[in-house]
Amino acid sequence: MLRTVGKSLFVCPPHHPAGSLELCPAVLFFCRPRCSGIPYVPQPRDKSVSARSVISFYNQSAIDIAAEKPSVRLTPTTILYAGKSPDNSHILRSAQYLYKELPVRVAHRIRDFRHLPFIVGCNPTILHVHELYIRSFHLLSEFPPVEDFESEEKYTKLVKDLLDDHKDVVTLLAEGFRESRKHIKEYKVIQDFLDRMLTSRLGIRMLAQHHIALHQEKNLFHVQPNYVGIVCTQMSLKKIIEKWADFSRQVCEYKYGFAPRVRVLGHVGVVFPYIPLPLDYILPELLKNAMRATCEQHADNPVNMPDVTVTIANNDVDFIIRISDKGGGMPREILEKVMQYHFTTCGSEMDPASENLDGLGTMMSAMNDGPNGAGPMYGFGFGLPTSRAYAEYLGGSLTYNTMQGIGTDVYLRLRHIDGNYESFRI
């Protein structure tokens, strides 16, 4: 069956459901060159791979078989208490787990790409990300079995390279859906796709970086005190908050020339085991939102600008971080929309209907690259919904209360991982 999108002609399988896209090899071949002037040239590290077209990556049967397998998700407690063996066999076991698990998780994401609405899936930026996942599946599934430390060394290098290849995926998805927003008829379909895609990406990065950290710990010069892989056994929540408060203040001063102070109150002395990585994604977004709202509300009197207050509460089951600002709050008409993916960038032309929907604000500047190679999730209307999806993936929640004309309180609640109560799975 042939379909026309714009001035381009595409091949679509006759069995394909109306309005969605099953990206068969013919579509992958014909779609990208005619969709836009944005070129994408894969940069594989293996010369034997570079000679193949994207169609050769699309091993339909292998992807289908892997996509039908369930993922084996680990609890943080399993990771924390797996222990370190004197002969480093724990590193080999970690690599063998990734060797089996990563192709399955990547195949799940490829399956989601295939079921996007047809014209959305043909957007060149989204197609770029789709091809990244296809290429990753190919490289991971064709890697020889990890049976000794020599193959583990090579496999770890491959994982590092793939993490680097995917570091801009959040930015690319945000831009691709912004470009496609006029073609999106059912927002819920896109929201569910992005929630699954972004939380899966977080889980994959946590597992991969955990293995890389274990691998690096073989070298005594790379051992971090109080760490087992990516798990900090004595994490100070106050220190994590202060680190990102300082970062956010720098960004705010770069943008506005001034920034509010940040006070940390509550259970400031609490220390417990946790994985800092997801907090490194969420906290900068929430703090920068609060600071931006405060700066814009009090721009005429920056000397007497009210502080942003962060309150920590800890109990046996979970911990709560409340971020309070006096940034003027949000009007009633946008309250249901602030947690939606808006597919727009700060400072760019917006649809009138979506203008200023992000009531808490998202800040764009030269300094806002995301931590740990995650890419910027600020300025695309992705920050808050991504933070909400991450919090729910981690067994918690992200909620807010706002008083128009006064300010907003945002509550981040996350579960402990010490094993005393049920926790999330990565």
Side-chain angles (χ1 to χ4, degrees):
M1 181 171 65
L2 299 179
R3 287 191 182 180
T4 302
V5 179
K7 296 182 180 179
S8 302
L9 189 65
F10 300 94
V11 181
C12 188
H15 65 277
H16 193 272
S20 60
L21 171 65
E22 184 82 16
L23 278 180
C24 63
V27 172
L28 283 170
F29 182 78
F30 288 112
C31 182
R32 186 183 65 258
R34 291 170 170 79
C35 278
S36 168
I38 301 177
Y40 169 57
V41 179
Q43 298 294 329
R45 304 173 194 279
D46 185 339
K47 291 183 179 179
S48 64
V49 175
S50 63
R52 307 179 189 179
S53 70
V54 69
I55 296 176
S56 68
F57 292 157
Y58 201 78
N59 188 333
Q60 176 73 41
S61 59
I63 292 174
D64 284 346
I65 292 170
E68 290 301 317
K69 296 178 181 178
S71 60
V72 180
R73 297 174 62 180
L74 303 179
T75 64
T77 309
T78 302
I79 291 176
L80 178 60
Y81 295 112
K84 298 181 181 180
S85 54
D87 60 355
N88 289 328
S89 59
H90 65 288
I91 300 175
L92 194 58
R93 290 194 300 271
S94 173
Q96 290 167 342
Y97 165 72
L98 287 184
Y99 179 81
K100 293 181 179 179
E101 183 67 11
L102 291 185
V104 172
R105 298 197 183 200
V106 171
H108 290 170
R109 303 288 65 80
I110 295 171
R111 180 175 58 188
D112 278 354
F113 272 110
R114 292 187 205 159
H115 290 89
L116 281 172
F118 181 83
I119 197 167
V120 175
C122 281
N123 173 273
T125 310
I126 294 174
L127 187 59
H128 178 157
V129 181
H130 188 171
E131 291 178 4
L132 280 176
Y133 275 83
I134 291 172
R135 175 177 173 271
S136 297
F137 179 85
H138 173 81
L139 293 172
L140 290 166
S141 60
E142 290 198 357
F143 195 90
V146 179
E147 297 176 340
D148 51 37
F149 287 108
E150 182 180 355
S151 57
E152 183 274 329
E153 184 85 28
K154 294 177 181 178
Y155 184 74
T156 302
K157 183 181 184 306
L158 171 63
V159 171
K160 285 182 182 178
D161 290 343
L162 292 179
L163 284 181
D164 186 59
D165 289 344
H166 285 246
K167 64 183 175 63
D168 295 326
V169 160
V170 175
T171 308
L172 292 169
L173 287 173
E175 184 163 344
F177 282 104
R178 178 184 62 82
E179 294 166 351
S180 306
R181 65 186 184 274
K182 64 182 179 181
H183 302 298
I184 295 171
K185 306 302 181 184
E186 295 184 31
Y187 172 77
K188 185 68 166 59
V189 172
I190 303 303
Q191 181 182 31
D192 291 345
F193 169 86
L194 288 171
D195 283 352
R196 289 193 302 270
M197 176 63 64
L198 296 174
T199 54
S200 172
R201 179 176 182 272
L202 175 64
I204 288 173
R205 294 189 77 86
M206 290 168 70
L207 293 172
Q209 291 189 9
H210 179 71
H211 171 72
I212 291 169
L214 292 177
H215 177 87
Q216 291 174 337
E217 287 171 4
K218 289 191 298 183
N219 185 337
L220 296 179
F221 293 105
H222 288 97
V223 174
Q224 295 187 70
N226 300 321
Y227 269 84
V228 177
I230 61 170
V231 182
C232 181
T233 58
Q234 297 289 319
M235 190 188 77
S236 167
L237 200 51
K238 179 174 182 286
K239 289 182 179 179
I240 295 284
I241 293 169
E242 288 176 339
K243 177 181 74 171
W244 290 115
D246 289 344
F247 169 81
S248 301
R249 291 191 82 250
Q250 292 177 36
V251 175
C252 202
E253 288 173 353
Y254 180 88
K255 172 78 174 180
Y256 297 102
F258 49 85
R261 294 182 303 174
V262 177
R263 292 188 300 148
V264 183
L265 308 174
H267 299 157
V268 294
V270 65
V271 172
F272 49 78
Y274 203 73
I275 302 173
L277 179 60
L279 294 176
D280 290 343
Y281 291 133
I282 299 171
L283 287 178
E285 173 67 16
L286 302 184
L287 288 165
K288 288 165 69 175
N289 286 336
M291 289 185 183
R292 181 192 177 192
T294 302
C295 286
E296 294 185 352
Q297 180 72 7
H298 300 275
D300 56 343
N301 190 16
V303 175
N304 295 318
M305 184 176 298
D307 298 341
V308 171
T309 303
V310 181
T311 307
I312 300 169
N314 184 58
N315 59 66
D316 292 340
V317 179
D318 54 19
F319 61 94
I320 305 97
I321 301 172
R322 181 183 67 188
I323 300 177
S324 305
D325 68 65
K326 298 295 191 293
M330 294 177 283
R332 176 183 294 273
E333 58 268 20
I334 70 168
L335 293 182
E336 295 182 359
K337 301 175 182 177
V338 296
M339 290 293 183
Q340 294 181 1
Y341 298 97
H342 295 307
F343 326 127
T344 57
T345 58
C346 267
S348 65
E349 184 177 352
M350 294 184 180
D351 291 339
S354 66
E355 187 174 0
N356 295 325
L357 286 182
D358 195 349
L360 295 179
T362 48
M363 192 178 298
M364 257 319 248
S365 76
M367 299 175 64
N368 72 357
D369 280 347
N372 297 310
M377 68 176 182
Y378 320 111
F380 293 92
F382 259 48
L384 283 173
T386 302
S387 297
R388 184 261 314 154
Y390 286 174
E392 292 175 0
Y393 177 78
L394 299 170
S397 62
L398 181 66
T399 58
Y400 61 89
N401 288 322
T402 186
M403 298 178 69
Q404 188 173 356
I406 303 295
T408 300
D409 292 346
V410 178
Y411 297 85
L412 174 64
R413 180 185 292 269
L414 297 173
R415 280 185 169 267
H416 285 300
I417 64 169
D418 54 16
N420 293 329
Y421 295 89
E422 183 180 357
S423 185
F424 60 93
R425 288 180 177 270
I426 301 174

